[in-house]
Amino acid sequence: MKVKKYRQPTVRDALRTIREDLGAEALVVSTDMVAARGWRGWIGLRDVQVTAALPAAPVSGRPAVAEGRSADTPLSTRGGLVARLLASGLDRSMAERVATAATDAECRGASLPELRTLLASQLGKLTTGDEPYARVEVFIGPPGVGKTTTIAKIAAQERARRGRTLGLVGADAFRAGAVEQLRTYASIIGAPFRVARSIEELDTALEKGRHSLLVDTAGRSPKDGGLRDLRRLLGTRRGVRTHLVIAADTSATTARRLLDAYHDARPDRIVISKVDEAETVAPLLAAVADRGIPVSYLTTGQRVPEDLDRATPAALAGALLRDGEWGWAAASC
Ligand SMILES: Nc1nc2c(ncn2[C@@H]2O[C@H](COP(=O)(O)OP(=O)(O)OP(=O)(O)O)[C@@H](O)[C@H]2O)c(=O)[nH]1
Ligand SMILES: [Mg+2]
């Protein structure tokens, strides 16, 4: 058996080169994302490395690289699907899980909606879907990740779609302008609004009103005393859910560091923000999945209230596959 490695910027290029070099009988053995060579690698670009094999004697009726699928060698013949999932940034174990879950028929068709459904079937535990609100929903996270905007989107969507009122609490009062941003949103949405200038005022604000409350906090370092005080206060209360907001383009290493840094705040949920700005959300999702914290929302742009989705398995699968940018409609296993 002849085995060769092919390194190209995209899976499509690699498969084309393999077909030209080894012919249509070649089989994909494995796929990896590797650092690109030369200056492309220095600036962080990655190539796809596909290992292909040519059987010593072509087996009659044996499936080929691009069309490869057979019941006796399911993974290698599904290499095209795994390669494309890897190229979209998915980690290997997830890509292989999806490929293994695919039936030959699903594999053959491989339209984008079918792949999204397949991937979604593996994401149930990582998402919360449309869960009921806790009495208090607190949003924490580094500066500028989109906490305030996310809260405004949630309150505005609930108001517009279900006629439901959520109260807004600005616990970010020490920064000039920060509370005004939320106050403005509250008045546009028609939501009750309170400012908490201290932990004591926050304690009082959380008692008031009959609606569920969305609490906006200042973007600050987890080592900051303010966050410790907040945690201490919320730790004494029931019905509190804490969302840690992390930007989608955060690398796996940075995400792990962030999750460690915010560990004491005990986040119950992760909001993945700025999905529209990220090349891939897969590294962040892999880091979050390791910690077993489900994703509650995805934010997909600056528009309030449109650019927010509940993190359903389908929505997360759509974000991971970047909805068609990888040419899935034309793909087969
Ligand atoms: N592209 C994009 N921009 C977003 C998204 N969500 C928020 N933003 C923008 O990010 C910037 C910061 O948003 P904020 O909601 O003020 O962020 P924050 O976390 O409250 O910031 P601090 O309170 O300063 O920590 C604003 O310009 C938002 O319009 C998103 O999903 N996509
Ligand atoms: Mg803010």
Side-chain angles (χ1 to χ4, degrees):
M1 178 182 284
K2 183 175 178 182
V3 178
K4 267 180 94 171
K5 290 187 192 305
Y6 296 83
R7 206 170 167 142
Q8 294 286 342
T10 69
V11 176
R12 216 172 270 253
D13 293 339
L15 294 179
R16 190 178 340 102
T17 313
I18 292 167
R19 264 200 307 278
E20 284 166 8
D21 192 29
L22 298 182
E25 287 293 319
L27 299 167
V28 171
V29 176
S30 66
T31 51
D32 293 290
M33 297 303 291
V34 295
R37 292 203 175 100
W39 65 269
R40 293 177 63 248
W42 302 339
I43 60 169
L45 294 180
R46 295 192 298 167
D47 278 342
V48 181
Q49 180 171 280
V50 179
T51 306
L54 187 64
V59 181
S60 152
R62 185 95 198 206
V65 139
E67 299 79 36
R69 56 197 169 269
S70 95
D72 56 339
T73 52
L75 197 57
S76 64
T77 55
R78 281 153 203 252
L81 176 57
V82 172
R84 284 173 182 276
L85 289 166
L86 289 174
S88 78
L90 237 65
D91 69 17
R92 172 167 288 281
S93 66
M94 178 68 82
E96 288 182 348
R97 266 217 315 272
V98 173
T100 305
T103 62
D104 280 4
E106 285 167 332
C107 221
R108 250 190 310 277
S111 69
L112 175 64
E114 282 164 346
L115 277 164
R116 200 189 298 127
T117 305
L118 262 176
L119 180 54
S121 71
Q122 306 296 315
L123 297 175
K125 286 202 186 106
L126 302 185
T127 55
T128 61
D130 200 4
E131 66 185 344
Y133 291 99
R135 159 75 185 150
V136 177
E137 306 260 356
V138 183
F139 292 76
I140 60 172
V145 281
K147 298 177 292 297
T148 306
T149 316
T150 300
I151 287 173
K153 288 172 181 172
I154 295 170
Q157 281 195 6
E158 276 302 313
R159 195 62 193 254
R161 292 181 185 168
R162 303 192 219 193
R164 177 170 184 172
T165 300
L166 298 169
L168 306 188
V169 178
D172 188 0
F174 67 91
R175 281 189 317 166
V179 165
E180 291 321 307
Q181 186 190 356
L182 195 63
R183 190 197 301 279
T184 306
Y185 280 127
S187 90
I188 295 167
I189 298 163
F193 175 70
R194 288 200 181 83
V195 179
R197 290 177 202 288
S198 64
I199 273 297
E200 293 72 29
E201 282 187 22
L202 180 59
D203 199 17
T204 311
L206 296 186
E207 288 297 327
K208 299 218 167 116
R210 60 196 161 85
H211 306 292
S212 285
L213 302 173
L214 306 178
V215 179
D216 189 20
T217 63
R220 47 178 143 187
S221 152
K223 296 199 170 59
D224 189 293
L227 195 61
R228 267 204 309 277
D229 292 345
L230 182 69
R231 183 63 237 162
R232 212 168 290 138
L233 168 69
L234 299 177
T236 63
R237 292 185 157 267
R238 296 196 12 214
V240 176
R241 186 181 284 146
T242 303
H243 303 249
L244 173 59
V245 185
I246 306 182
D249 65 359
T250 306
S251 70
T253 310
T254 308
R256 279 189 209 103
R257 246 184 247 138
L258 264 175
L259 289 161
D260 287 342
Y262 281 91
H263 179 263
D264 287 349
R266 299 207 192 89
D268 307 292
R269 302 285 181 263
I270 301 293
V271 174
I272 301 184
S273 68
K274 307 194 182 184
V275 171
D276 55 304
E277 286 184 351
E279 202 180 307
T280 169
V281 301
L284 168 60
L285 188 66
V288 166
D290 280 350
R291 305 293 167 102
I293 310 176
V295 181
S296 52
Y297 293 96
L298 304 168
T299 85
T300 54
Q302 291 185 294
R303 293 174 308 166
V304 179
E306 296 95 324
D307 295 334
L308 173 85
D309 292 311
R310 278 279 196 179
T312 59
L316 194 53
L320 281 164
L321 295 178
R322 298 178 60 82
D323 271 346
E325 283 178 33
W326 302 91
W328 288 102
S332 66
C333 295

